[in-house]
Structure formats: C-alpha cells, structure tokens
C-alpha cells in the first residue's frame, strides 16, 4: 500500500491509498473554497446522560446531485470535485463535519443549569472506496477491499492517537432508504470526543460479565453462536458471520474475527485478506435476498481508545431496514421513542434465508 497525503484548497487533508507503490498523486486542487466551518456544538441531555451534536451548517451539504456533478468522482476540466485526480481509495476531511478540530469558544458554558455545552471537537472523514461512480462495495475485488481495510486501520490508528478522541467509528450507509445523500460508493469515519450511548451500554454489560465470570462477553457470545450453529451464515479460518439471537433488525449479521482483537489496526495480514472474501460473500447474500441492491448500514464496533478498552472485541454489524420486497422496517413509536425494538423476522429465519441465497 502507498499512502500519499495532500492538502485541499481550503486546508482540509486528503489521503490517497494506492494498491501499487508506483502511483503518482500530484494533481492540485484548483477550486476556490471558503474556509471550513467551525465545529458543531455539543449539548448535554441530563435526562439520558448523553451528548447531542448540533451542527446547523450541515443543512447546506450536497444532496443527491446528478451523476455528472458528484463531488466524490475524480475532478475533470468540466467539474472540479473533492478529489483532484484519479484514485484507488481516497480519504478526506468531510466538508460538512458533525465533529471537527476547528473549535470556537461557546458564548456560554450552559444552556440551563442542567444543560452544559462545549465545542464539538473531533473529526469526520469520507472514505471513497473506488473512483468508479457506477459500482458498489459488493462489486469490488478482494484486493480493493483489502486496501479499504488498510485505510480503515491507518485512520483508526492516527485518530486514536489524537488527544481528546475516545472512540473511532468506521461505517457505510448504502441506499436512499437509509438516507444517503451521495450515490458514489463511500463510507465515513467519525472520531468521537466521548463514548457513544451504544458503546456505553455494551461496556456496562461487558464489565458486569467480566466481574462475574472473568471472561470477555463478546467472546462468550461468539462461542455460543458457533456451538449453536443455526444462526451461522458463513465462516472461514479467521472470521465467523452470524445473525445475533436477539437481532433488532429484519436482516442483521455480525462478522467477528475468531480471535479477540480490540480494533482494525490489530488485525493480522491474513485476517485482513480473509475478511475481504467473507465480507463480499455476506454483501452478495444481502443483495440476493430480494434480487436487488439491499439498503444497509455497515458499522465497525471498535474498542474505545481509553476507558474500558480491555473489554472490547472488534466486530462488524451489518443490517438492513428492508424486511420484505417493497417493505421497510420503520423505527416507529416503540423503537424511536422508547428504544424497544420489535423485529418482524426471527433471527433463525433470517439466517436460513441468507444461507439459501444462491451465489
């Protein structure tokens, strides 16, 4: 892998990741851009003990442009984009970030006595998986997926070393049903200045389990799924893909390494290669369920940078809101207001359906 960082016209960083060491990335960003926006504002919700980011500047972000005006395609003489030249994989600072190092002082330190505020410090990056606008992650060759994994590992390591960052989250949103605003195959990376609520809950459960048994909770869950077998979708020497016994989503798969590692940088070269093949298989099974592109969220759960890191177990959560052809799982009253999920498909049915997809 060759890594080439450059600076965009407004001072943001872009990094090219290339499969070949002889790649040359010297094209300059010729746009005239305003300075990047200041960081969002974080407001504390005392009723849930959670932080909420308020990022009003994101209202102006690009929304479903025509194909010939995609900001993630390589620049041409006719249309200058976020990426000055051709590329294999490119990662750059989001132009409309939810979190940023460009913090400014707040006019006060509270909204009320119970609601403190602080700058939304952190970083948001866009990961472009390919320069080809008309493809999808599912269609990438294993060598390109391996390059994406290496890019994720690079960014996780760099962002984790940034003072003030507590967790690094790599993810992909796919499909207008999910809410994507750009069709080009891409994902994102968020570097949070706090532990997200999902991680806090998982950490609490892991800590209780460790205090009771002395073992890692996710390792025990994975071992139990392998023993049960009926929810396993695919596996190889290094990875196991299964539908969780208490899956919240109609079609949800966890993809976990068979040995415990904290984050993507800790994966070995063999594990990274093996991930590429099994992940592509799972994505193709998702697309084959209803004979068309499946909307999904693909989310890496990495161990926190500091607090509770020893309790973490790297795994990828892949899920779709599509429950049947032409039918979506909406987060209505129970899910959205109370956080109580009601799944329309049993995990065992979902696992069987995914296994039976013809590849």
């Amino acid at each position: 892998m060759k890594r080439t960082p450059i600076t965009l016209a407004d001072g943001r960083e872009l990094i090219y990741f290339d499969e070949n060491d002889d790649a040359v990335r010297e094209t300059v960003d010729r746009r005239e851009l305003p300075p990047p926006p200041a960081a969002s504002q974080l407001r504390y919700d005392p009723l849930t003990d959670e932080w909420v980011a308020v990022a009003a500047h994101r209202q102006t972000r690009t929304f479903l442009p025509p194909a010939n005006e995609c900001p993630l395609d390589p620049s041409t003489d006719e249309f200058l984009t976020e990426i000055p030249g051709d590329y294999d994989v490119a990662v750059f600072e989001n132009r409309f970030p939810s979190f940023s190092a460009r913090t400014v002082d707040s006019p006060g330190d509270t909204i009320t006595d119970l609601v403190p505020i602080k700058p939304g410090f952190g970083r948001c990056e866009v990961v472009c998986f390919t320069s080809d606008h008309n493809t999808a992650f599912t269609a990438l060759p294993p060598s390109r997926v391996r390059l994406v994994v290496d890019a994720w590992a690079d960014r996780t390591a760099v962002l984790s070393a940034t003072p003030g960052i507590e967790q690094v989250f790599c993810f992909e949103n796919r499909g207008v049903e999910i809410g994507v605003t750009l069709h080009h195959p891409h994902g994102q990376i968020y570097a949070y200045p706090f532990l997200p609520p999902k991680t806090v809950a998982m950490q609490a459960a892991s800590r209780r389990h460790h205090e009771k048994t002395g073992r890692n909770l996710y390792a025990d869950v994975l071992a139990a799924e392998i023993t049960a077998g009926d929810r396993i979708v695919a596996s190889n020497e290094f990875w196991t893909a299964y539908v969780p016994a208490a899956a919240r989503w109609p079609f949800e798969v966890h993809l976990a390494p068979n040995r415990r590692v904290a984050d993507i940088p800790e994966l070995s070269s063999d594990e990274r290669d093996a991930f590429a093949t099994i992940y592509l298989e799972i994505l193709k099974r998702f697309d084959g369920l209803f004979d068309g592109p499946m909307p999904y969220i693909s989310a890496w759960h990495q161990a926190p940078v500091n607090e509770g890191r020893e309790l973490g177990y790297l795994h990828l959560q892949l899920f779709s809101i599509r429950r049947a052809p032409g039918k979506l799982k909406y987060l209505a009253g129970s899910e959205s207001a109370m956080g109580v999920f009601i799944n329309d498909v049993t995990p065992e049915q979902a696992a069987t359906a995914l296994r039976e997809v013809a590849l």
Side-chain angles (χ1 to χ4, degrees), residues 306-322:
N306 300 302
E307 181 183 353
R309 183 171 175 82
E310 73 284 357
L311 299 171
Y313 193 125
L314 173 72
H315 62 281
L316 183 141
Q317 178 190 19
L318 176 71
F319 63 91
S320 179
I321 61 173
R322 181 165 289 159

Side-chain angles (χ1 to χ4, degrees), residues 90-132:
V91 179
F92 61 89
E93 290 182 77
N94 197 320
R95 190 176 173 186
F96 305 95
S98 301
F99 304 93
S100 169
R102 299 175 178 87
T103 58
V104 295
D105 292 333
S106 300
D109 57 3
T110 63
I111 298 295
T112 73
D113 290 343
L114 295 175
V115 182
I117 61 176
K118 61 183 179 180
F121 172 79
R123 180 145 159 151
C124 292
E125 298 182 340
V126 178
V127 183
C128 297
F129 305 135
T130 171
S131 61
D132 186 351

Side-chain angles (χ1 to χ4, degrees), residues 12 147 158 181 210 233 243 263 273 315 319:
R12 291 175 295 130
L147 182 63
V158 170
T181 57
H210 186 267
V233 177
V243 177
D263 54 20
D273 284 341
H315 62 281
F319 63 91

Side-chain angles (χ1 to χ4, degrees), residues 38-357:
S40 62
Q41 184 184 82
L42 297 182
R43 299 188 180 195
Y44 176 73
D45 182 351
L47 297 177
T48 60
D49 190 26
E50 297 173 3
W51 288 96
V52 176
V54 180
H57 60 268
R58 285 176 53 79
Q59 279 279 48
T60 60
R61 67 189 185 273
T62 307
F63 181 80
L64 297 177
N68 62 344
E69 296 180 9
C70 177
L72 306 186
D73 288 357
S75 286
T76 64
D77 291 338
E78 293 74 28
F79 186 73
L80 299 177
T81 73
E82 290 281 64
I83 306 172
D86 193 22
Y87 62 92
D88 288 351
V89 172
V91 179
F92 61 89
E93 290 182 77
N94 197 320
R95 190 176 173 186
F96 305 95
S98 301
F99 304 93
S100 169
R102 299 175 178 87
T103 58
V104 295
D105 292 333
S106 300
D109 57 3
T110 63
I111 298 295
T112 73
D113 290 343
L114 295 175
V115 182
I117 61 176
K118 61 183 179 180
F121 172 79
R123 180 145 159 151
C124 292
E125 298 182 340
V126 178
V127 183
C128 297
F129 305 135
T130 171
S131 61
D132 186 351
H133 179 91
N134 298 310
T135 190
F137 199 112
T138 315
L140 298 179
S143 62
R144 178 58 55 83
V145 177
R146 168 59 195 266
L147 182 63
V148 172
V149 175
D150 289 340
W152 284 331
D154 176 280
R155 301 314 302 148
T156 296
V158 170
L159 295 171
S160 296
T162 303
I165 296 302
E166 295 297 331
Q167 189 169 32
V168 179
F169 175 47
C170 306
F171 64 101
E172 180 194 1
N173 298 326
R174 182 203 191 191
V176 293
E177 300 92 335
I178 295 296
V180 298
T181 57
L182 297 172
H183 289 301
H184 193 109
H186 73 288
Q188 299 180 65
I189 300 175
Y190 276 23
Y192 293 114
F194 52 79
L195 291 185
K198 183 67 174 287
T199 300
V200 171
M202 292 171 67
Q203 287 275 294
S206 297
R207 187 171 287 107
R208 290 192 299 270
H209 184 80
H210 186 267
E211 290 173 354
K212 181 179 179 180
T213 68
R215 299 191 301 271
N216 179 271
L217 176 57
Y218 196 91
D220 281 0
V221 168
L222 177 61
E225 290 290 353
I226 292 173
T227 298
D230 55 339
R231 287 175 296 276
I232 301 297
V233 177
S235 64
N236 61 28
E237 180 182 357
F238 298 101
W239 295 84
T240 298
Y242 67 94
V243 177
R248 288 166 167 76
W249 303 96
F251 294 94
E252 177 179 352
V253 168
H254 281 202
L255 182 53
N258 292 333
R259 73 179 182 102
R260 188 175 78 85
V261 299
D263 54 20
I264 299 172
E266 289 190 6
L267 292 173
S268 69
S269 180
D270 287 342
E271 286 168 329
R272 297 182 190 194
D273 284 341
F275 168 81
T277 56
I278 193 171
Y279 185 47
L280 288 173
E281 176 186 337
I282 297 301
L283 290 179
K284 290 172 183 175
R285 291 187 181 280
F286 264 55
D287 282 355
L289 273 173
F290 306 125
D291 296 322
M294 184 75 116
Y296 65 70
I297 293 174
S298 179
W300 280 107
H301 292 272
Q302 304 196 83
V305 174
N306 300 302
E307 181 183 353
R309 183 171 175 82
E310 73 284 357
L311 299 171
Y313 193 125
L314 173 72
H315 62 281
L316 183 141
Q317 178 190 19
L318 176 71
F319 63 91
S320 179
I321 61 173
R322 181 165 289 159
R323 58 186 175 88
K327 297 180 181 180
L328 300 180
K329 167 64 178 177
Y330 292 103
L331 298 190
S334 185
E335 292 89 356
S336 294
M338 299 305 289
V340 178
F341 277 70
I342 301 167
N343 196 345
D344 304 290
V345 181
T346 71
E348 292 74 24
Q349 290 172 333
T352 299
L354 287 165
R355 285 195 302 266
E356 290 180 349
V357 170

